[in-house]
Amino acid sequence: LTLLAMQPFNRNLLRKRRTRAAADFADVNFLKQRAVELLADRLMDLSHTFPLALDLGTHRGEMADAALASGKCGAVIRADLSAAMLYKQHGLRVVADEEALPFAD
């Protein structure tokens, strides 16, 4: 086996778990919401603005929404392994595995 052939995490199982969690995630996302508040506060401290940002593992888009509301990001691509997590979101969305992003360098 080469290092490239090894997959330490079962991506299909993770996708299935995220899809199952999508239905109830809004009821249990208090920890994610607190992390978003802290990150958004730090984003406001930056003098730089970003024309495009990536919210990788977006869940329900809390961080993308905060980044857009801050005025520090012109657009945010919301990416998640599970299409169900992206279902009710708006804007630029892509189902993507963080292990193999579909973007150019």
Side-chain angles (χ1 to χ4, degrees), residues 7 9-12 14-15 54 56-57 79-82 94-103:
Q7 193 173 33
F9 301 104
N10 184 328
R11 309 308 293 170
N12 289 329
L14 178 59
R15 180 181 295 111
L54 174 64
L56 187 57
D80 202 281
L81 185 60
S82 168
V94 62
V95 175
D97 187 333
E98 60 270 12
E99 297 283 330
L101 292 175
F103 304 112

Side-chain angles (χ1 to χ4, degrees), residues 7-76:
Q7 193 173 33
F9 301 104
N10 184 328
R11 309 308 293 170
N12 289 329
L13 181 59
L14 178 59
R15 180 181 295 111
K16 287 177 185 177
R17 288 179 177 168
R18 289 180 72 83
T19 298
R20 185 179 67 230
D24 300 331
F25 190 73
D27 297 335
V28 295
N29 73 339
F30 60 92
L31 200 54
K32 170 88 184 225
Q33 191 58 44
R34 181 65 180 140
V36 165
E37 291 168 9
L38 293 171
L39 286 170
D41 186 52
R42 291 185 180 184
L43 184 61
M44 292 302 294
D45 291 338
L46 298 176
S47 60
H48 187 77
T49 57
F50 303 91
L52 183 63
L54 174 64
D55 183 4
L56 187 57
T58 193
H59 291 91
R60 290 298 195 188
E62 299 92 339
M63 189 63 228
D65 291 341
L68 290 169
S70 74
K72 296 290 184 172
C73 296
V76 178

